[in-house]
Amino acid sequence: MDARFTAEQEEIRRTLRELLVKRCGPEEVRAAVRSPDGYDAALWDALAQQLGLPGLALPEAYGGVGCSVTELALACEESGRALAPSPLLSTAVLAAPLILALGTEAQRAELLPRLASGEVTAALAVPGARLATVLGLVGDNRGDWAGGGRAGGIQARQVDGVWRLYGQAAQVLDGHSAGLLVVAAHTGGFVRARTLLFLVRAGETRVGDGAVDGLVRVRQTSLDETRPQARIELRDVEAELLGDDGADVSGALTDVGDVAAAVLATEAVGAADRALERTVEYVRQREQFGRAIGSFQAVKHRLADVYVGVQAARSAAYYAAWAAGASPGAGAGAGAGGERVGGLALAQALEALRVAASEGIQLHGGIGFTWEHEAHLYFKRSAGDELLFGPVHRLRGHAADVAHLFDYGGDSRGKVAM
């Protein structure tokens, strides 16, 4: 493993950072999240058409750039620094890989080039508020999370050869504006109960108009406004099966979940690094008792601890991104040797972001608690991501279960099985 970045990878970071510094400052972020889309459409066009970010990790055969997960993760690290609101996560990290993994050749050829160009955005809709479980990050996703019978969720059934969906999905990232919905639904009743993925073409434009019969999309108020969420109601909505009836949906979701965790980890590291950077700048300028508060040893110790945490999280996130694409034959989310490390990297990164954001608010003093300052935006990103993809202790707990870390053998002394 060569830990150095290539010239192309460094160029991706440099170009994206320059663009976001110019066009995605704190005021631009606030204006974007208050727009109907929840993001700046002009900035998204620049990210998609000029830089090709939505197709960065998609094969060239489908209009992508043909890079690996590492390049996508590095791009998301820069977007995390700026807290740039965009449908990149929902489109390129969650929805597109599922279409690539499970879709028929006709579905791939039709949809992936449009997603790669940014012409169409997509969103993954799952029942309830179970995104972390569905992606296999905090528990086994082979259970009945899609609902069934009295469990509610989202149901699918065939009527005259056409699939129809019923139910509701909450916490759908960019669900109010996506032109394409990838919906997880339960079908088969008690005899052939299974979970399948379906495509709902919600307008086929960048901003879905919600004109599909029976489809209701309502943008929700979320803690982190830079990650807009929606409630999706499906009332006898016509849908198209993604792939074939016998697809391993749970396995594909787990693979995508590990890749998503690695990408989210690098994004959180970018946000933590920027929060720390802003705090260091402030304590160098803010004076008390005739000297900069950054010169006090207690402040230095606190920031040194934050720095160590951020750097450790960065190392874990980079390794997870590399491992996610190092062994394609072992699955999209499996690294060399087949291990899945995305969840652990995400746990460490979210913890680093929470500490960096909290210390930033504390060391900024009174101004850090105001809506006018950007410090609270990083704290909300930290809390919002834990609500969506965590919390940290569950990410670590599930990783320990998968690794059988606390499995005990027949030895009465209770040794950990190796």
Side-chain angles (χ1 to χ4, degrees):
M1 174 183 176
D2 186 353
R4 295 173 298 178
F5 292 120
T6 65
E8 291 78 9
Q9 290 169 337
E10 292 289 2
E11 183 65 16
I12 290 172
R13 300 179 65 168
R14 184 191 64 80
T15 303
L16 185 54
R17 182 174 297 192
E18 289 179 354
L19 176 64
L20 293 177
V21 166
K22 292 178 181 178
R23 301 184 56 175
C24 199
E27 293 307 315
E28 288 81 3
V29 169
R30 289 187 175 91
V33 299
R34 292 169 187 153
S35 68
D37 300 343
Y39 61 90
D40 182 352
L43 177 61
W44 173 246
D45 286 341
L47 295 176
Q49 298 175 13
Q50 297 177 22
L51 302 182
L53 291 193
L56 202 58
L58 289 177
E60 294 182 65
Y62 299 113
V65 180
C67 293
S68 69
V69 176
T70 302
E71 283 78 14
L72 181 59
L74 291 176
C76 286
E77 181 180 1
E78 295 304 318
S79 69
R81 282 180 58 88
L83 299 182
S86 80
L88 182 63
L89 175 63
S90 58
T91 300
V93 181
L94 297 178
L98 288 171
I99 296 173
L100 179 63
L102 299 177
T104 64
E105 183 56 37
Q107 289 171 333
R108 294 174 186 171
E110 177 196 358
L111 298 173
L112 290 178
R114 303 179 70 187
L115 294 175
S117 67
E119 176 189 350
V120 175
T121 62
L124 174 62
V126 300
R130 303 169 183 167
L131 184 58
T133 299
V134 171
L135 295 176
L137 298 178
V138 297
D140 183 5
N141 68 353
R142 298 180 183 274
D144 59 355
W145 53 264
R150 295 183 179 180
I154 300 176
Q155 310 297 315
R157 68 175 183 176
Q158 276 188 305
V159 180
D160 297 327
V162 178
W163 286 100
R164 318 289 299 190
L165 301 182
Y166 311 79
Q168 178 174 297
Q171 293 184 337
V172 180
L173 291 173
D174 297 298
H176 65 293
S177 62
L180 180 69
L181 299 177
V182 180
V183 183
H186 177 274
T187 188
F190 292 101
V191 180
R192 296 184 61 229
R194 61 202 185 280
T195 299
L196 298 174
L197 294 180
F198 297 88
L199 301 174
V200 175
R201 302 168 187 268
E204 288 289 340
T205 57
R206 184 181 58 218
V207 180
D209 54 15
V212 175
D213 290 341
L215 176 64
V216 178
R217 305 194 283 175
V218 181
R219 183 176 177 181
Q220 303 287 86
T221 299
S222 56
L223 175 64
D224 177 14
E225 292 181 309
T226 65
R227 288 212 196 281
Q229 301 173 31
R231 185 182 75 251
I232 306 296
E233 296 178 10
L234 302 150
R235 304 170 181 174
D236 194 23
V237 173
E238 182 177 338
E240 174 187 345
L241 179 64
L242 178 63
D244 59 65
D245 201 337
D248 181 10
V249 172
S250 295
L253 286 168
T254 301
D255 286 344
V256 169
D258 198 68
V259 172
V263 173
L264 284 163
T266 56
E267 187 187 66
V269 165
D273 186 60
R274 179 56 180 160
L276 174 61
E277 188 178 276
R278 291 278 305 190
T279 304
V280 171
E281 292 173 358
Y282 180 78
V283 299
R284 285 175 173 173
Q285 299 172 2
R286 172 70 170 151
E287 292 189 358
Q288 283 187 345
F289 308 108
R291 55 191 288 193
I293 62 174
S295 65
F296 294 109
Q297 196 164 22
V299 174
K300 290 180 180 180
H301 286 173
R302 291 172 67 173
L303 291 177
D305 288 342
V306 175
Y307 176 80
V308 171
V310 171
Q311 294 304 316
R314 174 176 277 119
S315 296
Y318 286 171
Y319 175 75
W322 170 82
S327 181
E339 77 272 19
R340 298 180 184 275
V341 295
L344 279 174
L346 179 58
Q348 190 165 359
L350 290 180
E351 186 172 56
L353 175 55
R354 182 178 66 230
V355 172
S358 301
E359 290 288 2
I361 289 177
Q362 289 289 328
L363 292 175
H364 273 84
I367 193 174
F369 289 85
T370 65
W371 295 123
E372 290 76 17
H373 200 274
E374 65 178 299
H376 73 92
L377 296 176
Y378 289 90
F379 185 82
K380 288 181 177 180
R381 169 59 66 89
S382 165
D385 275 5
E386 281 209 56
L387 290 173
L388 277 171
F389 304 105
V392 167
H393 72 273
R394 290 193 63 192
L395 287 165
R396 287 179 171 149
H398 180 60
D401 291 340
V402 170
H404 305 289
L405 187 61
F406 299 111
D407 285 359
Y408 295 95
D411 192 334
S412 60
R413 290 173 294 180
K415 292 182 179 180
V416 177
M418 299 300 290

